[in-house]
Amino acid sequence: MHHRRRRLRLLGVVAALSALLPTVGNPVTAAAKPPAPTRPAAGPGTNHATDDPFTAERTSWWRQDRFGMFIHFGAYSNLEGEYTRPDGTVCRNAEWIKRECAIPNDAYEKQAATFNPADFDAEAIVKAAQDAGQRYIVITAKHHDGYAMWPTRQNTWNLRDHSSFDPHRDILAELKTAADAAGIKLGFYYSIWDWHDPDFADPETFPRYKKRMYGQLEELVDTYDPALLWFDGEWDADNPANTWSRRDGADLQAYLHGLDPKLIVNNRVGKREVVDGDFGTPEQEIPTEPVDGQLWESCMTLNDHWGFARYDTHWKSSATIVRNLLQVAARGGNYLLNVGPDSRGRIPQASVDRLRETGRWLGAHGQGDAVYGAGHTGLVAEPAWGAVSRRGDELYASVLSWPAPGKPLHLTAKAPFTVTAATVLGSSQRVAVTAAGDGFDLTPSGAATDPAASVLRLTIKPPPAAPAGTGTGLTAQSWANGSFTGPPSVTTVDPTVNKSYRFDGSPDPTIPADHFSTRWTGSIQPRFDETYTLTTVSDDTVRLWIDGRPVIDSATPHGPRVDKGTVALTAGHRHRIRIDYTEGTGEAHLKLLWSSPSQPQQIVPQRQLHTR
Ligand code: FHN
C-alpha cells in the first residue's frame, strides 16, 4: 500500500479518535508533517507530459466512469439563494450572491458565522450518487468567496473556524470515508479567484495568496487523497482583479504533479487551453462532436443554479439527463451533473428523485453499457434519431425518437463492418438489419422500451486490423536554434511525440527553453486501412508530411492550438513521416495524435512508430 495511503488510513483512525476528544486550536487532525512534496523536474531537458490522458492507467477510471456528481456547497448555501438588503429589498443569487448582491464583507462574514450544515449526511449523499449511477463526486472545497469547507490551517475563514457547525466534524473527511466505502472516487473543486483573501487582488501581494493557496492544496491532497482537482476561477476578471496567468497555471500543474503524480486535473488549472490539465470543461453545453486533442467533461446544473436557491424549481427531467448522458458518452466525454445542498446540508428531494430515476434507467436491462466504458465511434455518423456509442465489438444505438411501425432507423457507415446481431435491450422484439445505401437500416418489430431512450445493441464484426506494431519510436533531431540550422545538437529516439515543455522545458538539458527546433523522422504504421485524422497540439509552429506529402502546415508562430489533417493509410504499411517543430519564446508544446473510424483518438503509440 502506498506509504501516503497508509498514513491517510492512520489519520482516519486518529481523526475518529480525536472526534471523541475536545479539540483546541485549529483541530485539523495533527497529521505527521508530510514529507516535502517531491520537487518536480524543471528547466531545460524537462518534458512535463508524463503520459497520454486518452490511454493512461492514471485516467482509466475517469474515462470508464463517465458520469459524476458535482456538489456546490459553501457559505453562500446558508443564504439559500436570497439576501435581504438593509433597505428591505431582496436580491437573489446562489454561489455568486456575495458579489451579485454586493453584500459587504462584514455582513457576509456575519451570516457565514451562522452557517450550520448539521444535516450534512455524507452517506446519504454518496447513496444519492450511487442511486443515480454517478461514479465520482466533485465537491466545492473552496468557491470564489474563499470560504474553505475543511479546517484549513492557512486562515480562519472556513467551516471549522467561522460557522456554527460542530467543530468536531469535517465534512470532507466524512465524504471521503463514505465515498471510499462505496467505491466512488472523490474530487475537489477549488477556485483560484478569491474574493476574500486580501492578498489576492494586488500583484504585489499575490505571492502571499499563492503561498496560502499552495498550502491549502497540499492540505487537501495530503489529508483527503482526492482522485481529482477541479479548478475554476482562472479567467481574467475584476472585483477583485484576477491576474492568474498561463505561467501560474504551468507552475501549479508542476506543483500538483509533485504532490501526487496520479492526480487528474481539469483545464481551468491554467487558462482553459487544450494543453492545460487533463480534460476540457464545457459548461451547460454538450460539444456537438468529439473534442480534438483533449479529453472533456460537460458540467451542468440540474435546475438553473449551481448553489442552492430555494425558489428555483426549474428542474431538468430525468429523460433529459439520460439523453444528455447518452450524447456525451457517444461523443467521448464525461457528464458532471450538479446538486446544491441547502443551508442544513441536505440535497433537495427534487434533485434526489430525478437522479434516482436516471439511475433506474441506467440500471435497467444493461442500458448503462451504452455509457460506462463506452465511447465515441468513428464507424458510423451520429444519427438524427439518437446517439451511438461503442464498447468493444458492440455498438449501442440509443434511440431518442422511435420510428413509426415498420420504419427503419438508418445508420451511415464510415468504414466497412458487418452487424452480426441486433437486439433491443429490455425487449424480445426482433430487429431487422439490412444493408441500405451508405450503411444499414435497422427495423425494430416492436415498441420503444422507455420514453427517455431505448437502446439497440449491435454486435459487429469490425474492420480487419493489422497486428500491433513493434516500433520503438521516431528519430528526433533537435537544434539549439529555431531554424534547424547546422548539425543537430541532440539526436534521440522519441517513443512518442508527446511534449509539454511549457515555459521552462526543452528537448535536452543542453538546449535552452527558447529558440529551439526539432525534426522527427521515421515511419508511422497504422493498423487499419482507413482515412486517418492526424492531430497536432502545438506551440509555436508545426509542419507534418506523410510519404512526402504535406498534411499539416501550421508554420505561423502561435499559442497552444490544434491542427488536423486527413490521410488515407494502409494497414500494417510503414508510411514515411516527418514533423518539423519550432519554438520561439514563451511556452512550448507538441503532441501528435491520430484517430480513424476504427481508432479512437490517442497519442500515436510507440509500437506504431519506427525510426526509419
Ligand atoms: O463562477 C463559477 C460558477 O459559480 C460555477 O462554479 C461554475 C461551475 O463550473 N463555474 C464558474 C462559472 O463558469
Side-chain angles (χ1 to χ4, degrees):
M1 178 189 297
H2 190 283
H3 73 280
R4 190 153 58 80
R5 286 190 187 291
R6 184 181 301 119
R7 195 171 71 247
L8 284 164
R9 199 171 293 288
L10 175 62
L11 285 181
V13 171
V14 169
L17 292 173
S18 66
L20 304 174
L21 306 171
T23 50
V24 289
N26 185 330
V28 169
T29 312
K33 180 82 184 96
T38 50
R39 282 285 313 149
T46 300
N47 174 19
H48 296 280
T50 53
D51 61 22
D52 172 14
F54 283 96
T55 57
E57 176 56 31
R58 175 178 65 94
T59 58
S60 60
W61 71 263
W62 189 88
R63 290 179 284 110
Q64 298 300 311
D65 287 356
R66 285 276 178 245
F67 189 26
M69 175 185 272
F70 216 169
I71 304 176
H72 274 70
F73 189 46
Y76 45 83
S77 310
N78 193 41
L79 293 168
E80 298 201 339
E82 262 181 7
Y83 171 65
T84 304
R85 296 190 183 97
D87 65 5
T89 55
V90 175
C91 178
R92 283 182 162 183
N93 199 288
E95 74 285 353
W96 275 63
I97 195 163
K98 181 183 187 297
R99 159 77 182 257
E100 295 306 291
C101 299
I103 304 176
N105 253 339
D106 55 358
Y108 192 76
E109 290 172 359
K110 187 175 172 203
Q111 74 84 16
T114 69
F115 186 31
N116 181 13
D119 295 334
F120 183 91
D121 180 342
E123 289 177 2
I125 289 170
V126 166
K127 185 178 184 309
Q130 275 184 304
D131 290 351
Q134 292 168 305
R135 294 189 172 180
Y136 62 100
I137 292 174
V138 179
I139 186 170
T140 50
K142 187 195 86 158
H143 205 266
H144 308 328
D145 63 2
Y147 189 81
M149 296 298 280
W150 79 99
T152 179
R153 292 185 286 269
Q154 305 303 322
N155 60 37
T156 57
W157 180 233
N158 65 74
L159 184 58
R160 172 69 59 83
D161 299 322
H162 193 112
S163 73
S164 297
F165 188 49
D166 176 350
H168 293 87
R169 292 185 59 183
D170 174 345
I171 64 169
L172 297 194
E174 292 168 15
L175 197 56
K176 170 67 178 175
T177 301
D180 282 357
I184 284 189
K185 297 285 187 185
L186 178 64
F188 295 138
Y189 165 113
Y190 188 93
S191 175
I192 294 161
W193 197 22
D194 189 307
W195 300 339
H196 190 271
D197 190 308
D199 288 330
F200 182 89
D202 179 347
E204 290 299 311
T205 59
F206 186 75
R208 285 207 298 261
Y209 166 76
K210 200 167 158 177
K211 185 170 185 297
R212 281 194 284 275
M213 171 182 156
Y214 276 42
Q216 287 194 328
L217 292 169
E218 183 177 6
E219 288 173 8
L220 288 172
V221 170
D222 272 335
T223 311
Y224 309 102
D225 190 24
L228 175 148
L229 290 180
W230 209 100
F231 287 92
D232 202 7
E234 85 294 339
W235 58 85
D236 299 340
D238 56 19
N239 186 19
N242 188 353
T243 59
W244 191 254
S245 69
R246 291 201 53 68
R247 192 179 288 267
D248 288 324
D251 292 346
L252 179 54
Q253 286 183 96
Y255 171 70
L256 294 170
H257 188 76
L259 286 182
D260 180 355
K262 296 188 316 345
L263 266 182
I264 295 175
V265 173
N266 73 343
N267 66 347
R268 302 186 189 186
V269 66
K271 302 292 271 188
R272 291 194 211 189
E273 297 283 354
V274 65
V275 295
D276 294 333
D278 294 301
F279 63 92
T281 52
E283 185 169 313
Q284 304 287 32
E285 61 174 2
I286 298 172
T288 54
E289 54 189 15
V291 170
D292 297 321
Q294 194 171 40
L295 297 171
W296 62 275
E297 170 195 76
S298 174
C299 62
M300 281 191 193
T301 52
L302 244 175
N303 52 9
D304 293 329
H305 289 82
W306 297 101
F308 180 76
R310 71 166 80 95
Y311 43 83
D312 182 349
T313 57
H314 185 224
W315 301 105
K316 289 179 178 65
S317 68
S318 57
T320 297
I321 298 168
V322 165
R323 296 176 168 207
N324 287 348
L325 186 54
L326 290 167
Q327 278 188 334
V328 164
R331 297 168 188 171
N334 280 25
Y335 191 41
L336 188 65
L337 188 59
N338 183 74
V339 295
D342 65 16
S343 61
R344 301 282 296 174
R346 298 164 302 196
I347 297 179
Q349 192 56 45
S351 300
V352 173
D353 293 345
R354 284 153 181 79
L355 290 173
R356 184 182 299 119
E357 179 54 25
T358 302
R360 181 207 59 77
W361 186 93
L362 287 165
H365 322 307
Q367 291 170 153
D369 287 351
V371 174
Y372 303 121
H376 174 70
T377 178
L379 286 176
V380 297
E382 180 171 292
W385 43 260
V388 180
S389 53
R390 179 174 183 179
R391 179 189 166 106
D393 285 348
E394 290 172 333
L395 301 185
Y396 290 85
S398 300
V399 185
L400 309 188
S401 48
W402 197 255
K407 294 295 183 189
L409 295 162
H410 186 70
L411 259 188
T412 296
K414 293 164 72 175
F417 68 94
T418 51
V419 178
T420 58
T423 60
V424 177
L425 297 185
S427 164
S428 58
Q429 66 182 280
R430 286 182 309 101
V431 180
V433 179
T434 52
D438 63 359
F440 303 92
D441 278 350
L442 310 169
T443 310
S445 60
T449 59
D450 192 294
S454 303
V455 180
L456 276 63
R457 178 170 55 211
L458 311 177
T459 305
I460 66 169
K461 185 172 182 302
T470 56
T472 57
L474 297 179
T475 300
Q477 299 170 296
S478 291
W479 287 259
N481 61 65
S483 56
F484 313 95
T485 305
S489 307
V490 177
T491 299
T492 59
V493 175
D494 277 355
T496 60
V497 182
N498 182 14
K499 309 294 184 184
S500 269
Y501 298 123
R502 296 192 187 135
F503 291 89
D504 62 293
S506 75
D508 186 86
T510 62
I511 293 181
D514 289 337
H515 303 300
F516 62 82
S517 49
T518 297
R519 173 168 294 145
W520 286 273
T521 54
S523 55
I524 187 168
Q525 186 182 29
R527 298 194 62 191
F528 304 98
D529 272 328
E530 295 181 348
T531 296
Y532 276 71
T533 298
L534 299 183
T535 300
T536 54
V537 174
S538 63
D539 176 343
D540 281 338
T541 78
V542 62
R543 301 172 72 200
L544 185 153
W545 298 260
I546 294 292
D547 295 331
R549 288 188 297 278
V551 175
I552 289 173
D553 186 344
S554 189
T556 303
H558 49 263
R561 59 171 283 161
V562 169
D563 290 282
K564 297 194 298 183
T566 57
V567 57
L569 299 179
T570 303
H573 180 72
R574 292 188 188 187
H575 293 270
R576 281 183 299 115
I577 185 171
R578 173 181 158 188
I579 306 169
D580 279 6
Y581 165 65
T582 71
E583 156 59 7
T585 59
E587 61 187 294
H589 305 270
L590 197 278
K591 295 174 183 273
L592 174 64
L593 303 96
W594 67 2
S595 62
S596 77
S598 295
Q599 176 57 61
Q601 185 175 209
Q602 61 175 188
I603 295 278
V604 180
Q606 174 181 20
R607 62 183 179 278
Q608 305 306 133
L609 295 172
H610 301 271
T611 54
R612 299 170 56 78

